[in-house]
Amino acid sequence: MAMTNNKTHCFTCNKDKITYLCEGCLKNFCLMDLTKHRQILNEELYHIINDYNQFKQIFNEQKPSSYDLSLIDQINQWQRNSIEKIKQKAKDSIENVIKSSQALLNDIEIKFNDLNEQLKQIHSENEFNEINLNYLRNELTKIREEFYNPRKTSIEKDLQAFTNEISIIPLEKKSKFNNWNKNAITVAGGNGYGEKLNQLNCPVGIFIDKNKNILIADCSNYRIVEWKQNTTQVQIIAGGNGKGNRMNQLNYPTDVIVDQQNHSIIIADWQNRRVIRWLNQNQQILIDNIDCSHLTMDKHGLLYVSDYKNNEVRRWKIGEYNEGTIVAGGNGKGNQLNQLNFPAYIFVDEEQSIYVSDQNNNRVVKWRKDAKEGRIVAGGNGKGEKLNQLSSPQGLIVDDVDQIYVADSGNDRVMRWCEGKEEGEVVVGGNGYGNQSNQLNRPTGLSFDDEGNLYVGDNSNHRIQKFELIL
């Protein structure tokens, strides 16, 4: 409270007196009314403290709900089942080791008895020479060698999960199954392949900015173009000066993202083997000598790049472009859970888990932060068109309830997979390759806008398709 220099009206008694300003309500009170005002504030504080203490008592007495107890029972049952499986597997393995060892001893015993019979026969007949003695000596040496140096038995670890994994999913992440209009609207290109501003030539990566403008890696036109929302306005924002490696050129760009922190764009300049930043027509090489396929950025501003030749995904901190950190793959080409085979599109979620379109393994693999191997979350059942299969998966998005959307390029469709499910479902396309509004032809990039509409880079139709969310 601060005393004013002049007499003013008291807010309560409305008389001209020496008043004091309450800094909370910014009203003036005389000394008597100020005392009453403070008393009212003290009473309000008392009520807040009382409410707090009551709630604290209720909170301290809180016990797990029946629903929580049911979840705990399920976890305990999963633990018991998993332990029983492990015990049984260990028992069977021990029995196999004993059987293998006993079979070896039995085999040696048979050979030993056979040699004994030969020794008895030669000794009784008393007809032998150096050849017979050398033979017997060699046979005994072989038996002794087999006994003292038996065949080694080893343990082979199966990289596939032995027991079913479980996860705790918060209620707010319960899946919501959105649907989209099966007939798309062409929002960019669609005028045949070419290099005019109303044309595209094999669009690959796409990015929808906060204004719903569409940035497109117009791969075979060696440029990045921006199509303004709901207009025919198009502008080249990078490249467009022919194929090349000069500072104003690109060579088959495959992906583009917006770096919100400095309002620049970052491009995977595929055939120039570099990742570049483009700001106001000025180009800066961020990473060179990298066989970059696609890229993304997480909420912390860390940059992730898939390297299709080294079969790995690396992470970089903006401004510190050394060798980066391997966060997926990096163990050679293969189909084991710690390997990749031509990683294409990538997605990073809020927990910094990395999802990778493992193109030549026809699967999507999820690598948790700092994990040494991934987990198959889509496909992984060979190349095919069944609902549990993928064919050269490309574009990749994971929504806020952990549903995985993947451009199933070889099957001309976009699929949705829920982690842990055996198969996915077709959300758009899947009507054979073609250029009708319900068809796709080698879909690549995927993106959502802030209204949930789905955008698809329809690569071989040289267009971008918008599938509107059905509300």
Side-chain angles (χ1 to χ4, degrees):
M1 303 290 176
M3 180 176 173
T4 59
N5 294 324
N6 301 314
K7 291 184 178 181
T8 57
H9 286 293
C10 171
F11 176 77
T12 302
C13 68
N14 201 27
K15 295 179 180 179
D16 287 333
K17 294 183 178 181
I18 296 175
T19 58
Y20 302 83
L21 177 67
C22 175
E23 294 177 355
C25 63
L26 298 179
K27 294 173 182 176
N28 294 312
F29 298 92
C30 66
L31 184 58
M32 183 178 295
D33 289 328
L34 177 63
T35 303
K36 294 178 182 178
H37 182 64
R38 292 296 305 173
Q39 185 178 356
I40 293 172
L41 294 179
N42 286 331
E43 289 175 357
E44 290 183 4
L45 176 61
Y46 170 78
H47 288 307
I48 293 173
I49 293 173
N50 188 50
D51 288 344
Y52 168 82
N53 289 332
Q54 289 181 8
F55 177 74
K56 182 180 179 181
Q57 183 178 356
I58 295 172
F59 180 80
N60 290 339
E61 295 173 354
Q62 182 67 28
K63 296 179 180 179
S65 67
S66 58
Y67 181 77
D68 291 337
L69 292 174
S70 173
L71 290 178
I72 293 171
D73 286 341
Q74 292 179 52
I75 294 170
N76 287 333
Q77 185 61 50
W78 169 81
Q79 181 186 40
R80 288 191 291 271
N81 292 342
S82 299
I83 291 173
E84 190 58 39
K85 283 184 178 181
I86 293 171
K87 284 182 176 179
Q88 187 61 48
K89 185 67 175 180
K91 181 182 177 182
D92 293 343
S93 298
I94 291 171
E95 290 178 356
N96 287 336
V97 170
I98 294 173
K99 287 179 182 178
S100 176
S101 179
Q102 191 59 51
L104 176 64
L105 293 175
N106 291 341
D107 184 51
I108 292 175
E109 185 176 10
I110 292 172
K111 294 177 181 178
F112 197 73
N113 292 335
D114 182 58
L115 181 60
N116 185 43
E117 291 298 322
Q118 293 182 60
L119 287 169
K120 287 180 180 179
Q121 181 180 352
I122 290 176
H123 186 265
S124 63
E125 293 177 353
N126 200 25
E127 292 183 359
F128 56 88
N129 53 36
E130 287 83 357
I131 295 175
N132 302 120
L133 294 177
N134 283 333
Y135 167 77
L136 294 171
R137 188 180 295 107
N138 288 337
E139 287 300 305
L140 181 59
T141 299
K142 289 179 182 178
I143 295 173
R144 186 185 291 115
E145 182 70 21
E146 191 172 353
F147 177 74
Y148 287 116
N149 298 288
R151 296 186 301 273
K152 298 294 183 183
T153 302
S154 63
I155 295 175
E156 181 179 359
K157 295 182 180 179
D158 189 351
L159 292 178
Q160 298 291 335
F162 178 62
T163 60
N164 295 326
E165 293 186 14
I166 61 172
S167 300
I168 304 301
I169 303 175
L171 289 177
E172 63 268 19
K173 281 203 169 186
K174 186 175 181 181
S175 297
K176 53 182 179 182
F177 294 101
N178 291 333
N179 292 301
W180 290 266
N181 195 320
K182 302 303 180 184
N183 294 299
I185 302 169
T186 301
V187 291
N191 299 299
Y193 74 91
E195 59 184 19
K196 295 179 181 178
L197 284 181
N198 69 339
Q199 294 178 307
L200 298 170
N201 192 350
C202 296
V204 190
I206 58 176
F207 186 94
I208 312 298
D209 69 15
K210 60 184 179 181
N211 297 317
K212 296 190 182 65
N213 299 321
I214 309 168
L215 280 75
I216 307 166
D218 192 8
C219 186
S220 295
N221 278 328
Y222 323 114
R223 65 190 185 186
I224 306 296
V225 294
E226 180 186 62
W227 289 62
K228 295 291 185 182
Q229 179 196 10
N230 299 329
T231 70
T232 57
Q233 288 182 269
V234 187
Q235 65 174 336
I236 299 172
I237 57 175
N241 298 298
K243 178 174 68 173
N245 62 3
R246 296 198 309 269
M247 296 302 285
N248 66 343
Q249 292 180 306
L250 299 171
N251 192 351
Y252 291 103
T254 53
D255 213 348
V256 58
I257 61 173
V258 174
D259 182 357
Q260 303 286 357
Q261 293 183 0
N262 54 32
H263 308 291
S264 65
I265 65 170
I266 299 177
I267 305 167
D269 193 7
W270 176 42
Q271 285 297 293
N272 279 329
R273 302 184 66 245
R274 64 191 183 186
V275 175
I276 61 175
R277 184 201 307 276
W278 205 288
L279 177 61
N280 298 327
Q281 295 300 313
N282 294 317
Q283 184 192 99
Q284 175 192 5
I285 298 175
L286 300 181
I287 309 167
D288 58 3
N289 297 318
I290 181 171
D291 293 292
C292 50
S293 178
H294 294 277
L295 44 81
T296 191
M297 186 174 283
D298 68 16
K299 64 181 181 181
H300 304 291
L302 299 176
L303 180 65
Y304 299 73
V305 183
S306 58
D307 186 326
Y308 70 95
K309 279 193 178 179
N310 287 321
N311 297 291
E312 65 188 22
V313 178
R314 286 182 182 260
R315 180 182 66 212
W316 278 269
K317 183 177 180 180
I318 294 291
E320 297 180 7
Y321 295 105
N322 38 42
E323 292 186 357
T325 302
I326 296 176
V327 292
N331 296 296
K333 180 172 67 176
N335 61 5
Q336 300 301 309
L337 289 180
N338 68 339
Q339 295 178 306
L340 298 169
N341 188 351
F342 204 111
Y345 288 79
I346 49 181
F347 182 92
V348 181
D349 67 14
E350 291 291 310
E351 284 75 39
Q352 290 183 296
S353 293
I354 301 116
Y355 296 76
V356 185
S357 287
D358 194 7
Q359 181 176 319
N360 288 350
N361 280 326
N362 302 293
R363 66 189 186 185
V364 175
V365 187
K366 176 182 179 180
W367 293 64
R368 295 188 182 276
K369 184 180 179 182
D370 300 325
K372 300 302 180 185
E373 63 180 37
R375 171 183 171 87
I376 299 172
V377 292
N381 298 298
K383 183 177 183 178
E385 59 183 15
K386 296 178 181 178
L387 290 179
N388 70 339
Q389 294 178 306
L390 295 170
S391 177
S392 298
Q394 297 293 318
L396 187 61
I397 303 174
V398 182
D399 67 15
D400 57 358
V401 290
D402 298 334
Q403 295 175 133
I404 303 153
Y405 295 81
V406 55
D408 189 12
S409 184
N411 288 319
D412 307 300
R413 64 192 184 186
V414 176
M415 297 191 72
R416 172 169 55 203
W417 292 68
C418 297
E419 187 173 345
K421 298 294 184 181
E422 295 295 325
E423 60 183 34
E425 61 175 324
V426 179
V427 291
V428 296
N431 299 302
Y433 74 90
N435 61 5
Q436 300 302 307
S437 62
N438 68 340
Q439 292 179 307
L440 298 168
N441 192 349
R442 293 285 176 180
T444 49
L446 297 181
S447 188
F448 285 119
D449 64 22
D450 57 6
E451 295 179 352
N453 300 308
L454 175 62
Y455 296 75
V456 182
D458 195 7
N459 182 272
S460 294
N461 281 326
H462 313 288
R463 65 188 184 183
I464 308 298
Q465 298 291 85
K466 176 184 177 182
F467 294 88
E468 295 185 324
L469 180 66
I470 299 174
L471 299 176

